[in-house]
Amino acid sequence: MKQHLSAYDYSGQVATRLLWSLCLFFISLTTVIHAALSNNLTGSLELSGVNSQSDTLHEQSFNQRYSLYWQKNLTPYVVARSSLNYFNFGFNQNAGPNSWRKEFSPAAELYWKHPYFSLGATAQRRKSSSNDFQTDLTTDFLTTSFRTKLAKYPYLDAQFQRSDVYSTFKRSDRDTREILLLAGTGYTTQRSSIAYSFSRRNSENRIDHRKQIDYQHSLRLNHSQNVSKDAVRISAGYRLDYRQQSDIAPATGSLPREIPELLGLYSNDATPDLSTLDTIPSLVDGILTQSTSPPIDIGNGNINWNLGVDLGFTRSVNRVYVYTDVPSGNGVRWQVYKSPDNIVWNQVASATSRYSVGFSRYEISFPEDTTRHIKVVNSGLNEVASVFVTEIEALIDIGNQGEIRRHQMTHLATLGNSFRFSSKWSSSADIYLRHESGSSLAALRNETNYALGTRYKISATLQSGLRYELGLTDFRNRSSDIDKTSSVSCDLRYNPLETLAFLLSIASRHSYIKSMKTQELNNAVAKVTGDPLGSLLVATEFGWSRNNLYQGNLRYDAWSYRLAMNGAVFRSLDAGITYLYQRTTDARSSVARSKSQYSANATCRLTANIVIQGNVDLVNDFHNRLLAQEYLLSWSASAKLNISASTSLTQIKNNSHSNRYNAQLQYYVTPRSALTVSYSEYDLSPVSGSSTAALQAGFRTGF
């Protein structure tokens, strides 16, 4: 990599001199603009020259980013806004070969904010392209909205949205249109509320002539009330949902159709054949452009993400799509697993995957299989440093059917009661009823769930709780899924000091299929947390679980131990360490699988202006080993000059690695304007087969 800087020739020097001349010109220009413009218009601009050298390519580019924002009150109630964003990164190889390179986005909004109602309209176009012409997309978005704001009367709400997304360079890569109409009304009092909503979504793929029309009606009733001097609180709710969906496709050939998901599931675990995934609603919320919460980063060396869905009952599936917020790398590989219970998973063979740049998603396909839970697990280094997952979809291919119509009606009723018998004793009782009917639009089942709980405060420092839950499921069609689940849990909490707490919890869950016990899961957790020095938080946790699978005559035992310390060691030093150990054994095999993870982080303030930060993670998980390191040094040399340097090193056991280095100098000419110089070096040879060094000098300002 040392020879990269020597490759910068005379043309690079000329470009740098030109850039600095432009920067001096814009410093003077923006000072005049800021004084001359009214407060209605604000904006910013960034200019930089980049000289980059990879193993096989030498590039020079002039990067630009401009933003303008305008807002004006036309009347006391009417506001007009507009914006214009443009950037052109020329050749931006630092973020990966599929990185976005150019974008032009104008937008306008007219908003009428009356005391009795609000009315608005927004129009936006975003035209993007990349250095490889595969991500050239144009998005046209139009929305109008109306809502009343009369406190004594029911509100009215209406929205219209239309979006067109198509590939500018190659129309056959993507050409979709979606039209959404929303309408609703409702009324709320101090104790009760009622609401009704209607939506019509028309999604059209104009490449394969596939269309989906989706109608939804929803009625919601809620009431809550305190009785007997607030000793009893009663809450009740009812919801009626009706959904009708039509799929229109060519009569010949097969096309993938999304399967309605009941729950989104995720975890980070390198032993995917035996793991329980947590629920994450944002993974199946239908928003393809917004990252999940909590975020799931599959960039760089972030592997072993288990991403899945609960389909509600056993059904056929042969595709999974994983959407990302930015174009991702092709070096990521995916394995597919299925499970009847979200505990024991079996790998699905012959899975293949590809990244679709036009739709910003990984498309994983495999032979058709039947399951209730399906998940995919990523491996391999990603040449893009940071990529966040936005959505997951499970699909099944359908064919030789010109139009399919389905509908479903769902009734949901809840009743909750909480009782406060005394200052020490409280209890709760809840019931949940769900009834479904329709033509297989989603999981057709009837559910009844009961829950009873009580908590008693033995003393000022000691309390205990007990909870029992029973879930019954009646599948409308014959099913081999679990139809009865019962669980009991209890905990004991002891707080002898404000800075010291003990917790002991025990739980047992039993699952049945047609009155036959199929699974028993028992677990116990002991946890201690404390703050012995007032600024040092210490937590330790020990857990054990036994999972009996009676149908397969299997038994798994798992032990886990965790120790974490985090706090201020000295006035100038904050540090934290975490140790995690997990061990799983199979009663039929003498081989035990173990995972150990070590993490350490520190922030050291050498002076008031010099700060060093570092983070190291080492994971030994079964046959995998991952070492990740990040370091940062920042120095505020003066009120106008900042200097920083950072490095990120990632290495996996099979010698795959990625190394990233960066140094930056920033000088503020005015409070709003700054000159920047940075040098970056990226070694991605084991991932993408190339390494890159780049020298960048630039200027940014705002007005």
Side-chain angles (χ1 to χ4, degrees):
M1 188 62 67
K2 294 182 179 179
Q3 71 270 23
H4 290 164
L5 287 178
S6 61
Y8 298 151
D9 53 15
Y10 176 74
S11 59
Q13 299 176 13
V14 174
T16 303
R17 293 171 184 170
L18 177 61
L19 175 64
W20 288 119
S21 301
L22 288 172
C23 291
L24 294 175
F25 169 75
F26 277 108
I27 291 174
S28 304
L29 181 62
T30 54
T31 303
V32 175
I33 291 176
H34 180 65
L37 290 177
S38 67
N39 293 329
N40 295 329
L41 182 65
T42 60
S44 64
L45 64 88
E46 295 183 28
L47 303 173
S48 62
V50 181
N51 205 345
S52 63
Q53 175 71 40
S54 66
D55 294 337
T56 59
L57 186 64
H58 180 200
E59 286 290 328
Q60 294 175 339
S61 62
F62 181 57
N63 295 341
Q64 310 161 64
R65 183 193 292 269
Y66 309 99
S67 298
L68 290 175
Y69 304 95
W70 177 81
Q71 176 175 316
K72 186 175 180 60
N73 294 326
L74 304 180
T75 71
Y77 297 143
V78 179
V79 179
R81 303 186 184 98
S82 64
S83 65
L84 178 64
N85 292 282
Y86 171 82
F87 67 80
N88 187 343
F89 282 162
F91 189 80
N92 184 18
Q93 193 182 38
N94 295 342
N98 291 325
S99 63
W100 296 81
R101 159 183 171 177
K102 183 178 180 180
E103 183 172 303
F104 176 75
S105 178
E109 179 184 9
L110 188 63
Y111 190 71
W112 188 2
K113 191 175 182 180
H114 193 272
Y116 298 147
F117 65 87
S118 61
L119 176 65
T122 302
Q124 181 183 14
R125 162 167 283 195
R126 186 172 67 245
K127 189 173 183 180
S128 307
S129 59
S130 70
N131 55 338
D132 56 7
F133 299 103
Q134 295 183 10
T135 49
D136 291 14
L137 291 178
T138 298
T139 301
D140 294 326
F141 185 77
L142 174 66
T143 178
T144 59
S145 62
F146 171 81
R147 184 180 177 90
T148 61
K149 297 185 292 183
L150 299 173
K152 296 182 179 180
Y153 301 94
Y155 71 84
L156 297 175
D157 192 1
Q159 292 185 40
F160 171 82
Q161 297 179 6
R162 170 174 167 170
S163 63
D164 292 85
V165 184
Y166 56 89
S167 175
T168 311
F169 179 72
K170 188 178 180 182
R171 197 84 173 205
S172 60
D173 285 345
R174 181 171 184 178
D175 188 1
T176 60
R177 170 178 291 176
E178 182 173 284
I179 299 176
L180 176 63
L181 177 64
L182 301 170
T185 184
Y187 186 69
T188 301
T189 64
Q190 184 177 2
R191 297 177 178 176
S192 305
S193 66
I194 180 173
Y196 166 78
S197 62
F198 163 80
S199 68
R200 181 186 186 274
R201 184 190 300 271
N202 187 339
S203 303
E204 182 181 1
N205 188 326
R206 288 177 283 191
I207 296 176
D208 51 24
H209 307 290
R210 179 162 51 102
K211 181 186 295 186
Q212 185 179 87
I213 303 175
D214 196 327
Y215 293 90
Q216 294 191 45
H217 301 263
S218 180
L219 175 66
R220 300 181 300 277
L221 303 171
N222 291 285
H223 178 77
S224 61
Q225 185 173 351
N226 294 337
V227 298
S228 186
K229 296 182 179 180
D230 295 339
V232 179
R233 180 174 179 83
I234 301 173
S235 60
Y238 172 75
R239 177 168 177 168
L240 172 65
D241 291 326
Y242 177 78
R243 185 178 179 186
Q244 178 179 317
Q245 189 178 91
S246 299
D247 287 301
I248 304 172
T252 58
S254 62
L255 294 171
R257 184 185 70 194
E258 182 184 358
I259 303 172
E261 300 92 356
L262 180 64
L263 295 171
L265 306 171
Y266 87 118
S267 72
N268 191 273
D269 195 334
T271 55
D273 55 333
L274 184 62
S275 63
T276 300
L277 275 61
D278 298 322
T279 60
I280 176 170
S282 57
L283 193 59
V284 291
D285 59 5
I287 304 176
L288 306 183
T289 57
Q290 181 175 325
S291 303
T292 60
S293 178
I296 301 172
D297 187 359
I298 61 172
N300 201 10
N302 299 317
I303 60 174
N304 297 327
W305 279 109
N306 293 229
L307 310 177
V309 293
D310 180 355
L311 302 177
F313 66 104
T314 300
R315 58 190 309 165
S316 299
V317 58
N318 72 328
R319 294 178 186 269
V320 173
Y321 290 167
V322 177
Y323 290 83
T324 60
D325 65 335
V326 297
S328 188
N330 288 312
V332 179
R333 299 181 300 275
W334 297 89
Q335 293 178 323
V336 181
Y337 292 83
K338 66 175 185 176
S339 171
D341 53 14
N342 188 23
I343 297 178
V344 179
W345 299 81
N346 296 313
Q347 186 173 355
V348 178
S350 304
T352 60
S353 64
R354 61 179 291 270
Y355 188 80
S356 173
V357 181
F359 287 90
S360 293
R361 70 190 181 194
Y362 286 99
E363 299 178 349
I364 304 108
S365 59
F366 46 92
E368 182 176 327
D369 211 327
T370 56
T371 185
R372 171 170 176 169
H373 303 86
I374 190 78
K375 74 174 181 180
V376 293
V377 183
N378 72 314
S379 62
L381 282 174
N382 195 336
E383 62 262 34
V384 185
S386 183
V387 179
F388 291 96
V389 174
T390 62
E391 190 80 2
I392 188 172
E393 291 178 351
L395 306 98
I396 180 66
D397 287 349
I398 59 173
N400 299 323
Q401 302 183 63
E403 182 175 357
I404 301 176
R405 293 186 178 181
R406 300 165 293 166
H407 68 275
Q408 179 180 342
M409 182 176 291
T410 304
H411 302 266
L412 298 172
T414 60
L415 178 62
N417 301 276
S418 60
F419 311 92
R420 184 167 53 86
F421 301 110
S422 67
S423 60
K424 294 184 176 181
W425 186 19
S426 62
S427 296
S428 64
D430 305 286
I431 184 173
Y432 168 89
L433 302 174
R434 178 188 180 108
H435 176 77
E436 295 180 343
S437 62
S439 58
S440 189
L441 180 62
L444 295 179
R445 64 202 185 282
N446 299 328
E447 294 182 354
T448 304
N449 296 326
Y450 306 92
L452 301 172
T454 184
R455 180 162 292 278
Y456 185 73
K457 192 174 183 180
I458 303 172
S459 66
T461 60
L462 185 64
Q463 61 175 294
S464 64
L466 178 66
R467 184 174 180 84
Y468 172 77
E469 297 183 12
L470 175 65
L472 305 174
T473 304
D474 176 24
F475 295 98
R476 300 295 302 274
N477 300 320
R478 296 187 61 182
S479 174
S480 58
D481 293 309
I482 295 173
D483 54 20
K484 178 183 177 181
T485 302
S486 64
S487 64
V488 60
S489 61
C490 62
D491 66 81
L492 184 66
R493 302 173 185 269
Y494 180 49
N495 296 81
L497 302 172
E498 292 185 0
T499 57
L500 183 62
F502 298 87
L503 170 64
L504 175 64
S505 63
I506 302 173
S508 179
R509 188 180 71 181
H510 302 258
S511 302
Y512 302 84
I513 298 178
K514 298 178 181 179
S515 301
M516 181 178 296
K517 184 186 289 188
T518 59
Q519 182 181 357
E520 179 181 347
L521 179 62
N522 302 305
N523 64 74
V525 175
K527 185 176 182 180
V528 181
T529 58
D531 190 3
L533 301 179
S535 59
L536 179 62
L537 181 63
V538 180
T540 182
E541 179 180 318
F542 177 79
W544 168 85
S545 66
R546 169 167 290 181
N547 187 10
N548 291 303
L549 302 174
Y550 297 109
Q551 282 187 330
N553 194 25
L554 301 174
R555 189 186 75 193
Y556 297 96
D557 290 328
W559 293 265
S560 64
Y561 175 73
R562 182 177 181 272
L563 174 64
M565 291 186 292
N566 191 17
V569 182
F570 305 107
R571 179 178 300 180
S572 60
L573 177 62
D574 297 334
I577 59 172
T578 301
Y579 170 69
L580 173 65
Y581 177 78
Q582 294 177 336
R583 180 182 175 88
T584 304
T585 60
D586 184 349
R588 299 188 306 176
S589 173
S590 59
V591 179
R593 293 173 296 181
S594 62
K595 170 185 176 180
S596 58
Q597 179 175 344
Y598 308 84
S599 300
N601 64 85
T603 299
C604 181
R605 293 171 291 276
L606 298 179
T607 67
N609 299 322
I610 301 177
V611 178
I612 300 177
Q613 294 177 313
N615 186 78
V616 179
D617 289 298
L618 174 62
V619 181
N620 289 304
D621 202 335
F622 203 18
H623 296 304
N624 300 310
R625 183 179 185 272
L626 172 66
L627 177 62
Q629 306 173 69
E630 294 183 0
Y631 305 99
L632 171 66
L633 171 63
S634 60
W635 177 28
S636 298
S638 67
K640 293 186 175 183
L641 180 62
N642 295 325
I643 301 174
S644 64
S646 63
T647 180
S648 175
L649 311 173
T650 303
Q651 184 174 7
I652 299 181
K653 182 179 179 180
N654 61 4
N655 203 30
S656 295
H657 68 272
S658 65
N659 301 327
R660 302 171 186 265
Y661 310 92
N662 178 265
Q664 180 173 296
L665 183 147
Q666 185 171 258
Y667 181 76
Y668 286 91
V669 182
T670 69
R672 293 174 175 265
S673 305
L675 299 171
T676 61
V677 178
S678 66
Y679 172 74
S680 302
E681 189 173 311
Y682 299 85
D683 181 11
L684 305 175
S685 52
V687 184
S688 59
S690 64
S691 299
T692 302
L695 180 63
Q696 178 172 324
F699 165 75
R700 72 170 185 269
T701 187
F703 55 87

